[in-house]
Structures are given as C-alpha cells and as structure tokens.
Amino acid sequence: MKTNKIYLGILMCSALGLTTSCLSETKDLEPRSVPEEKETGRLVLDLNADANFNFETRAVDENTYRNTDNYTVNITDSKGNSKFSGTFATLKTRLPLELDLGSYNISAEYGTEYPASRDGFKAVGSNTFTIQAAKTVETTVECTPTAGKVLVEFDASMANYCDLYDVDFSGTAALGNNVAHWGKDDTAPFYLAISEAGETVNYTIHITTKSDYAGLNGEEKVTNATATGSFQLQRNKAKKLTISPNYTPSTEGGLKIEVTIDETTNDKPITIEVPVTWI
C-alpha cells in the first residue's frame, strides 16, 4: 500500500506540473496595424530656353543660356516645402517624378542678374501644376532673359570731327542713379536688367570736338557738348545705336549729332537728329 501511494503522488505532481507549464505559455494576440498607402501622381516636365536678342553680336556665349541642362529647377508644394532642387539634367533622370497629391510651384533659372553687364545676364521661368491621383501631368516652363541688350556703333567719320566721344546709359530701375558707360573704343554690348513690362532707357552722348567744329555757348567758343535721347527696351530684345556726325560749313552752332536706332525688326531703322547742348 505504501508503494501505491508513492506512485499516485508522483503522477499527480507530474499532471499538475504539465498544467502549470501550459498555462504559462498562453498569450493574448493583438491585431497588427497596416499603414495606409498615400495616393500619388506623376510629373513630366519640359523646359525651354530662349535667348535671341535679335542681334548676333555677343558679349557672352548666349548658347550656354539655351542649354536647358544648365538650369537650376526648384519644385515646392503649396506650403513652400521643397520637393526637388537641382539641375534640369539631374531632374530628367528622375522623370516622371512621383509626387503627393496637391498644387505645386516650379521655377527655373540660370545665370546672374546685374544692373548692367558685359559678362552675363539671368534667364528665368516659372509655372504651376496640380498632381491628381494615379495621373501624369505634363507641364512646360519657358525661360527667357531678364535683360535687354544695347549696342553702340560710332560712324568712322566721328574721328574726323571729335577727339573724344562716348555714351552713358541710364534710367532703368536696376541702374538707379548709376550709368552704364560705353567708351569710344568699346565693342562688346551691354545687357541691361529690365522690368517685365519693359523700360525707358536714356542715353547721353558726350563729345569733345576738334576746334574747327566747336559750338557756341553764348559768345564763347566751346568744344564740349552732350546730346540726349531715350528709347524703349524690352526683355530679350536689342537696340543698336549708330551715332554719326552731321556737319557742313554752313552748320550753325557747330557739329550736330544723328542717331539711328535699329532693332532688326521689319520696321525701318529710325534716324533722328539729337539736340546738342554745348557746355
């Protein structure tokens, strides 16, 4: 009888141990959350650059401004958050570009804007677009210079009548109280920063005549004089001023100045006699 009691006790302990072991391994399972996928659309961008200015005479290689790979492109959402910033060459490798739904601004630029420069100018463009779910939107940005170009050509006969002659350009918002100075022997054109609506550009011609062609200031014979005028200049357009002397022995008051303004359009160049002020 004692032996049977011992076996029974061992069996009861073993059963109790198994029950405890099973209970300790039981766990409650929690449901797994699945992240919600965002809806997106795609952008395809075309970038065009135009820098012609009408005239082929150049101070810089304008072809670099026609190479759209050089342009920096910025894409921002409606809150101003940047979604892309880099060259168009880089962006092209990522097109079509996947974006979240919403409205976006896009801008492109190349170069540096100066009030007046013979070394370069700036070209810019911008547009807006909206991304819709599972759709591809195609948009184009047209980039054009923020400058107009001016050129001066002195008629060869100016040297027969004058010892010195030059031109100052002024009057644009970017120039303020400054001038862009065109010297007697200069040949490279100026790129002038111009507002989007176009601006009036003033010019002042300075001359110092030879004594035989001097004018009169009262009864005094003087050789220094100025002649002034103005013209309208638009962005991505050019104006060429050809400056010539106008003198005959019967000319009253000394040497006169004629200015021919040419913009190489279908209109004929305009030639005007600019009033001379002797100083």
Side-chain angles (χ1 to χ4, degrees):
M1 291 296 291
K2 287 182 180 179
T3 302
N4 291 338
K5 286 181 180 180
I6 291 171
Y7 288 151
L8 181 61
I10 292 172
L11 289 173
M12 290 180 65
C13 288
S14 298
L16 187 61
L18 288 172
T19 303
T20 304
S21 175
C22 291
L23 288 174
S24 65
E25 293 179 0
T26 302
K27 296 181 180 179
D28 293 332
L29 298 177
E30 297 180 359
R32 298 177 65 183
S33 60
V34 178
E36 184 179 345
E37 292 186 5
K38 284 187 177 180
E39 290 187 299
T40 61
R42 298 190 299 177
L43 167 70
V44 173
L45 174 66
D46 189 20
L47 185 64
N48 296 325
D50 177 23
N52 289 319
F53 291 106
N54 311 103
F55 281 95
E56 289 302 317
T57 303
R58 298 170 185 167
V60 299
D61 183 4
E62 293 171 6
N63 285 322
T64 61
Y65 289 83
R66 301 185 187 109
N67 183 358
T68 55
D69 284 351
N70 295 329
Y71 282 66
T72 297
V73 178
N74 291 289
I75 300 174
T76 57
D77 63 19
S78 58
K79 296 180 180 179
N81 299 314
S82 177
K83 297 302 178 180
F84 177 84
S85 182
T87 65
F88 186 54
T90 300
L91 178 58
K92 286 193 299 185
T93 65
R94 297 175 57 182
L95 294 177
L97 183 66
E98 188 173 5
L99 293 167
D100 295 338
L101 308 189
S103 299
Y104 293 84
N105 298 310
I106 184 168
S107 64
E109 63 179 47
Y110 178 69
T112 303
E113 184 174 272
Y114 304 96
S117 176
R118 287 186 162 111
D119 300 322
F121 54 91
K122 189 175 186 177
V124 299
S126 62
N127 208 340
T128 59
F129 62 92
T130 300
I131 293 295
Q132 298 178 336
K135 291 185 178 181
T136 298
V137 60
E138 297 181 1
T139 191
T140 301
V141 175
E142 302 285 347
C143 294
T144 56
T146 63
K149 184 161 66 173
V150 294
L151 307 90
V152 175
E153 183 176 287
F154 293 108
D155 189 275
S157 61
M158 285 289 290
N160 298 331
Y161 299 93
C162 300
D163 292 323
L164 296 173
Y165 39 91
D166 55 45
V167 182
D168 286 336
F169 293 102
S170 62
T172 65
L175 279 171
N177 295 325
N178 299 313
V179 300
H181 180 74
W182 188 290
K184 172 177 173 288
D185 299 317
D186 289 350
T187 57
F190 270 120
Y191 297 96
L192 303 180
I194 298 293
S195 65
E196 193 170 358
E199 293 190 61
T200 298
V201 178
N202 303 320
Y203 61 87
T204 301
I205 304 166
H206 305 272
I207 61 173
T208 299
T209 68
K210 298 178 184 298
S211 59
D212 291 343
Y213 311 108
L216 294 175
N217 186 354
E219 296 183 357
E220 183 183 359
K221 193 174 183 180
V222 292
T223 58
N224 293 324
T226 59
T228 61
S230 64
F231 55 86
Q232 293 294 311
L233 186 61
Q234 305 291 328
R235 290 180 170 183
N236 204 25
K237 300 296 182 183
K239 291 289 178 72
K240 178 182 178 182
L241 279 64
T242 301
I243 299 172
S244 307
N246 180 6
Y247 181 82
T248 62
S250 61
T251 299
E252 295 182 2
L255 184 71
K256 308 293 184 184
I257 294 293
E258 286 186 348
V259 177
T260 300
I261 301 177
D262 185 7
E263 57 183 15
T264 68
T265 63
N266 293 328
D267 297 331
K268 293 182 178 180
I270 301 171
T271 300
I272 56 174
E273 185 175 277
V274 182
V276 173
T277 302
W278 296 94
I279 53 178

